[in-house]
PDB file of all heavy atoms in Angstrom:
ATOM      1  N   LEU D 552       6.782  -4.151   7.296  1.00 96.00           N
ATOM      2  CA  LEU D 552       7.025  -2.722   7.082  1.00 96.00           C
ATOM      3  C   LEU D 552       7.733  -2.099   8.277  1.00 96.00           C
ATOM      4  O   LEU D 552       8.703  -1.339   8.142  1.00 96.00           O
ATOM      5  CB  LEU D 552       5.694  -2.005   6.816  1.00 96.00           C
ATOM      6  CG  LEU D 552       5.741  -0.472   6.778  1.00 96.00           C
ATOM      7  CD1 LEU D 552       6.586   0.010   5.610  1.00 96.00           C
ATOM      8  CD2 LEU D 552       4.346   0.110   6.699  1.00 96.00           C
ATOM      9  N   SER D 553       7.263  -2.436   9.471  1.00 96.00           N
ATOM     10  CA  SER D 553       7.874  -1.893  10.680  1.00 96.00           C
ATOM     11  C   SER D 553       9.310  -2.369  10.829  1.00 96.00           C
ATOM     12  O   SER D 553      10.191  -1.622  11.281  1.00 96.00           O
ATOM     13  CB  SER D 553       7.061  -2.292  11.919  1.00 96.00           C
ATOM     14  OG  SER D 553       5.832  -1.577  11.971  1.00 96.00           O
ATOM     15  N   LEU D 554       9.553  -3.611  10.458  1.00 97.00           N
ATOM     16  CA  LEU D 554      10.910  -4.143  10.522  1.00 97.00           C
ATOM     17  C   LEU D 554      11.862  -3.346   9.631  1.00 97.00           C
ATOM     18  O   LEU D 554      12.973  -2.974  10.053  1.00 97.00           O
ATOM     19  CB  LEU D 554      10.896  -5.609  10.099  1.00 97.00           C
ATOM     20  CG  LEU D 554      12.265  -6.320   9.970  1.00 97.00           C
ATOM     21  CD1 LEU D 554      13.001  -6.312  11.308  1.00 97.00           C
ATOM     22  CD2 LEU D 554      12.086  -7.727   9.440  1.00 97.00           C
ATOM     23  N   LEU D 555      11.453  -3.043   8.423  1.00 97.00           N
ATOM     24  CA  LEU D 555      12.284  -2.304   7.483  1.00 97.00           C
ATOM     25  C   LEU D 555      12.551  -0.884   8.016  1.00 97.00           C
ATOM     26  O   LEU D 555      13.674  -0.378   7.906  1.00 97.00           O
ATOM     27  CB  LEU D 555      11.643  -2.256   6.110  1.00 97.00           C
ATOM     28  CG  LEU D 555      11.498  -3.596   5.388  1.00 97.00           C
ATOM     29  CD1 LEU D 555      10.711  -3.433   4.085  1.00 97.00           C
ATOM     30  CD2 LEU D 555      12.855  -4.233   5.133  1.00 97.00           C
ATOM     31  N   CYS D 556      11.540  -0.256   8.568  1.00 96.00           N
ATOM     32  CA  CYS D 556      11.723   1.109   9.121  1.00 96.00           C
ATOM     33  C   CYS D 556      12.667   1.080  10.321  1.00 96.00           C
ATOM     34  O   CYS D 556      13.500   1.980  10.491  1.00 96.00           O
ATOM     35  CB  CYS D 556      10.371   1.675   9.524  1.00 96.00           C
ATOM     36  SG  CYS D 556       9.292   2.120   8.149  1.00 96.00           S
ATOM     37  N   THR D 557      12.549   0.058  11.144  1.00 95.00           N
ATOM     38  CA  THR D 557      13.420  -0.043  12.325  1.00 95.00           C
ATOM     39  C   THR D 557      14.864  -0.216  11.920  1.00 95.00           C
ATOM     40  O   THR D 557      15.780   0.376  12.513  1.00 95.00           O
ATOM     41  CB  THR D 557      12.974  -1.221  13.211  1.00 95.00           C
ATOM     42  OG1 THR D 557      11.599  -1.089  13.543  1.00 95.00           O
ATOM     43  CG2 THR D 557      13.787  -1.257  14.498  1.00 95.00           C
ATOM     44  N   LEU D 558      15.105  -1.023  10.891  1.00 95.00           N
ATOM     45  CA  LEU D 558      16.468  -1.251  10.434  1.00 95.00           C
ATOM     46  C   LEU D 558      17.092   0.034   9.875  1.00 95.00           C
ATOM     47  O   LEU D 558      18.320   0.181   9.874  1.00 95.00           O
ATOM     48  CB  LEU D 558      16.481  -2.346   9.362  1.00 95.00           C
ATOM     49  CG  LEU D 558      16.185  -3.768   9.851  1.00 95.00           C
ATOM     50  CD1 LEU D 558      16.030  -4.719   8.674  1.00 95.00           C
ATOM     51  CD2 LEU D 558      17.290  -4.240  10.788  1.00 95.00           C
ATOM     52  N   ALA D 559      16.263   0.953   9.412  1.00 94.00           N
ATOM     53  CA  ALA D 559      16.763   2.224   8.879  1.00 94.00           C
ATOM     54  C   ALA D 559      17.039   3.267   9.967  1.00 94.00           C
ATOM     55  O   ALA D 559      17.653   4.293   9.704  1.00 94.00           O
ATOM     56  CB  ALA D 559      15.755   2.804   7.890  1.00 94.00           C
ATOM     57  N   LEU D 560      16.597   2.993  11.218  1.00 90.00           N
ATOM     58  CA  LEU D 560      16.832   3.929  12.313  1.00 90.00           C
ATOM     59  C   LEU D 560      18.232   3.751  12.877  1.00 90.00           C
ATOM     60  O   LEU D 560      18.802   2.661  12.861  1.00 90.00           O
ATOM     61  CB  LEU D 560      15.812   3.696  13.439  1.00 90.00           C
ATOM     62  CG  LEU D 560      14.388   4.176  13.209  1.00 90.00           C
ATOM     63  CD1 LEU D 560      13.473   3.706  14.330  1.00 90.00           C
ATOM     64  CD2 LEU D 560      14.356   5.715  13.114  1.00 90.00           C
ATOM     65  N   PRO D 561      18.811   4.818  13.416  1.00 83.00           N
ATOM     66  CA  PRO D 561      20.153   4.691  14.024  1.00 83.00           C
ATOM     67  C   PRO D 561      20.060   4.076  15.429  1.00 83.00           C
ATOM     68  O   PRO D 561      19.007   4.078  16.057  1.00 83.00           O
ATOM     69  CB  PRO D 561      20.598   6.162  14.127  1.00 83.00           C
ATOM     70  CG  PRO D 561      19.335   6.939  14.288  1.00 83.00           C
ATOM     71  CD  PRO D 561      18.325   6.212  13.421  1.00 83.00           C
ATOM     72  N   HIS D 562      21.169   3.566  15.921  1.00 77.00           N
ATOM     73  CA  HIS D 562      21.255   3.203  17.335  1.00 77.00           C
ATOM     74  C   HIS D 562      21.294   4.512  18.124  1.00 77.00           C
ATOM     75  O   HIS D 562      21.980   5.448  17.768  1.00 77.00           O
ATOM     76  CB  HIS D 562      22.543   2.403  17.601  1.00 77.00           C
ATOM     77  CG  HIS D 562      22.565   1.070  16.958  1.00 77.00           C
ATOM     78  ND1 HIS D 562      21.877  -0.024  17.451  1.00 77.00           N
ATOM     79  CD2 HIS D 562      23.206   0.626  15.842  1.00 77.00           C
ATOM     80  CE1 HIS D 562      22.093  -1.068  16.700  1.00 77.00           C
ATOM     81  NE2 HIS D 562      22.875  -0.714  15.686  1.00 77.00           N
ATOM     82  N   THR D 563      20.554   4.542  19.257  1.00 71.00           N
ATOM     83  CA  THR D 563      20.419   5.834  19.929  1.00 71.00           C
ATOM     84  C   THR D 563      20.821   5.801  21.387  1.00 71.00           C
ATOM     85  O   THR D 563      20.990   6.879  21.968  1.00 71.00           O
ATOM     86  CB  THR D 563      18.945   6.308  19.887  1.00 71.00           C
ATOM     87  OG1 THR D 563      18.117   5.294  20.471  1.00 71.00           O
ATOM     88  CG2 THR D 563      18.497   6.539  18.449  1.00 71.00           C
ATOM     89  N   ASN D 564      20.958   4.660  22.035  1.00 61.00           N
ATOM     90  CA  ASN D 564      21.017   4.652  23.484  1.00 61.00           C
ATOM     91  C   ASN D 564      22.436   4.717  24.074  1.00 61.00           C
ATOM     92  O   ASN D 564      22.611   4.507  25.255  1.00 61.00           O
ATOM     93  CB  ASN D 564      20.329   3.424  24.057  1.00 61.00           C
ATOM     94  CG  ASN D 564      20.793   2.123  23.428  1.00 61.00           C
ATOM     95  OD1 ASN D 564      20.789   1.992  22.215  1.00 61.00           O
ATOM     96  ND2 ASN D 564      21.185   1.174  24.262  1.00 61.00           N
ATOM     97  N   ALA D 565      23.428   5.057  23.270  1.00 54.00           N
ATOM     98  CA  ALA D 565      24.789   5.124  23.799  1.00 54.00           C
ATOM     99  C   ALA D 565      25.108   6.453  24.446  1.00 54.00           C
ATOM    100  O   ALA D 565      26.048   6.561  25.242  1.00 54.00           O
ATOM    101  CB  ALA D 565      25.795   4.836  22.690  1.00 54.00           C
ATOM    102  N   ASP D 566      24.346   7.484  24.137  1.00 60.00           N
ATOM    103  CA  ASP D 566      24.696   8.838  24.569  1.00 60.00           C
ATOM    104  C   ASP D 566      23.739   9.348  25.635  1.00 60.00           C
ATOM    105  O   ASP D 566      22.591   8.937  25.719  1.00 60.00           O
ATOM    106  CB  ASP D 566      24.659   9.816  23.383  1.00 60.00           C
ATOM    107  CG  ASP D 566      25.541   9.343  22.238  1.00 60.00           C
ATOM    108  OD1 ASP D 566      26.719   9.044  22.492  1.00 60.00           O
ATOM    109  OD2 ASP D 566      25.037   9.272  21.099  1.00 60.00           O
TER     110      ASP D 566
END
Side-chain angles (χ1 to χ4, degrees):
L552 171 65
S553 288
L554 174 61
L555 295 175
C556 289
T557 305
L558 291 172
L560 286 172
H562 293 283
T563 57
N564 52 307
D566 305 308

